[in-house]
Amino acid sequence: MGAPLLELRDVTVTFPGRGWFGRRAAPVQAVRGASLTVAPGETVGLVGESGCGKSTLGRATVRLVTPQSGQVLFDGRDITRLPQSALRPLRPKFQMVFQDPYSSLNPSLPIVDSVGEPLRVHTRLPARQRADQVVSALELVGLAARHLYRYPAEFSGGQRQRLALARALVLDPRLVVCDEVTSALDVSTQNQILTLLDQLRRERGVSFLFVSHNLLAVRHIAARVAVMYLGRIIEEGPTERVFTAPAHPYTRALLAAIPGEHRRRDAGGRPSAPAGELPSPVNPPAGCPFHTRCPPVMDRCRTELPPPTRVDGGGAVACHLQTAGPTLAGRPLPAQ
Ligand code: SF4
């Protein structure tokens, strides 16, 4: 594989804690040392429970938040700490689409203006040419030019998500971060949006970081998947390997929670969905972040952070079971 379009290296994002009545509180450790790549024309899924840090990592990717440490490289260029003035000419190349299309579509503006706003901000095109480009973007997402002077409220949920996507695509980006873009849609509309994203990837070479808690949607669309837990990426690899031979106990538990044919069971035949609560990112446990909920927890898990270890079939996992014995198929990474 060639050079990645996006490379996240050991990214950490911490938010200041908010206490009562303006008092100081401990910081929230939203993302801790996350590393990930996305190749040109590739879709990578980022999954995990609500609150695991996946949306924050997506925002850090497009510099809507600035990491405290680590690096975000876009097309080989380190954008981690670029000031907004230097980021501005790069922004057309990486865009983000959110779960709620209203967050990017101004309900008081007609589509020609709300979808065309990035053109107004980033180009000097006259209004007529901006409208032409909005029509092209609408057609890309399967909407007709006749919608140009309608308002967001006149569209269905699925159409609004197409409009949000058109707004992201109007500047011809190379990378789009999709944050739960199908979560508010019915199953049939979800499938239409997934098909559309894959078509854009194949036909226009757009790369996608697809952030979702919907594992079936991720399996449908992503070539690779990364699993996050409490701010850390605890497993990544080719989607089929992760879904058919998950190496991390948390990944297995997540898959167990999917109804139907993906349901997995433990040795006793019972479903093995994650038990217990996600610990607070304000005070994450020492050692392996999953040790408070992990059935095969060992003593060392409580104090030692497991290193990433290669997995047969592709990818890596961070679990001491991979280095402590022959239980699973992993092997230690060679020393750097
Ligand atoms: Fe469970 Fe230990 Fe592996 Fe963490 S390192 S997932 S606690 S076995």
Side-chain angles (χ1 to χ4, degrees):
M1 188 177 290
L5 177 65
L6 169 73
E7 187 170 3
L8 305 176
R9 289 185 189 160
D10 213 14
V11 169
T12 291
V13 181
T14 305
F15 296 119
R18 286 202 198 120
W20 291 99
F21 304 113
R23 286 192 190 142
R24 273 204 188 161
V28 178
Q29 301 176 46
V31 177
R32 300 186 289 159
S35 298
L36 187 68
T37 60
V38 180
E42 182 184 39
T43 297
V44 174
L46 186 58
V47 303
E49 285 168 284
S50 185
C52 71
K54 58 190 188 301
S55 290
T56 302
L57 187 58
R59 286 168 187 259
T61 295
V62 294
R63 277 290 314 275
L64 291 180
V65 297
T66 300
Q68 271 63 44
S69 62
Q71 289 177 296
V72 179
L73 288 93
F74 181 77
D75 206 13
R77 181 169 180 187
D78 188 348
I79 64 166
T80 324
R81 268 161 272 284
L82 283 184
Q84 290 300 329
S85 58
L87 264 181
R88 193 182 157 99
L90 298 175
R91 285 218 173 272
K93 294 298 161 203
F94 44 85
Q95 295 286 306
M96 188 155 182
V97 183
F98 300 91
Q99 175 178 350
D100 174 13
Y102 268 119
S103 61
S104 53
L105 296 171
N106 186 331
S108 65
L109 292 179
I111 297 311
V112 65
D113 292 332
S114 55
V115 171
E117 196 196 0
L119 291 168
R120 189 182 57 73
V121 172
H122 290 283
T123 74
R124 291 168 186 251
L125 290 176
R128 183 64 253 167
Q129 284 182 37
R130 290 206 303 268
D132 288 345
Q133 292 213 13
V134 171
V135 169
S136 300
L138 291 181
E139 287 171 348
L140 259 185
V141 300
L143 293 172
R146 65 186 151 80
H147 296 309
L148 212 51
Y149 295 99
R150 293 173 65 193
Y151 288 80
E154 299 176 60
F155 293 85
S156 67
Q159 284 176 319
R160 274 183 226 146
Q161 203 51 284
R162 285 174 189 264
L163 290 169
L165 204 50
R167 188 181 189 280
L169 293 169
V170 77
L171 289 167
D172 199 20
R174 297 183 65 196
L175 172 75
V176 178
V177 176
C178 295
D179 186 11
E180 301 283 7
V181 292
T182 60
S183 299
L185 307 176
D186 61 64
V187 173
S188 146
T189 313
Q190 276 182 26
N191 288 337
Q192 290 171 18
I193 295 291
L194 293 176
T195 302
L196 172 62
L197 295 180
D198 200 47
Q199 186 183 340
L200 291 164
R201 182 192 64 77
R202 283 185 281 104
E203 295 179 2
R204 300 180 69 86
V206 182
S207 301
F208 291 97
L209 180 60
F210 189 81
V211 180
S212 180
H213 68 268
N214 184 337
L215 293 165
L216 293 180
V218 168
R219 186 173 195 179
H220 185 87
I221 196 169
R224 286 192 302 121
V225 62
V227 183
M228 277 190 89
Y229 184 81
L230 213 55
R232 295 194 184 280
I233 292 178
I234 49 89
E235 180 164 9
E236 63 84 19
T239 302
E240 274 315 295
R241 199 281 295 158
V242 172
F243 274 77
T244 55
H248 197 284
Y250 176 64
T251 313
R252 292 204 294 275
L254 270 188
L255 293 173
I258 306 177
E261 78 260 36
H262 300 278
R263 197 171 189 92
R264 290 171 187 281
R265 291 168 187 276
D266 67 13
R270 293 161 300 184
S272 54
E277 297 286 318
L278 188 69
S280 167
V282 172
N283 187 21
C288 170
F290 191 52
H291 85 249
T292 58
R293 300 166 80 187
C294 182
V297 61
M298 303 172 285
D299 282 348
R300 66 186 298 203
C301 305
R302 302 181 213 281
T303 53
E304 292 174 39
L305 181 66
T309 303
R310 277 195 193 134
V311 179
D312 286 341
V317 64
C319 172
H320 288 308
L321 287 173
Q322 298 289 323
T323 51
T327 313
L328 295 170
R331 57 186 185 279
L333 285 172
Q336 296 291 312

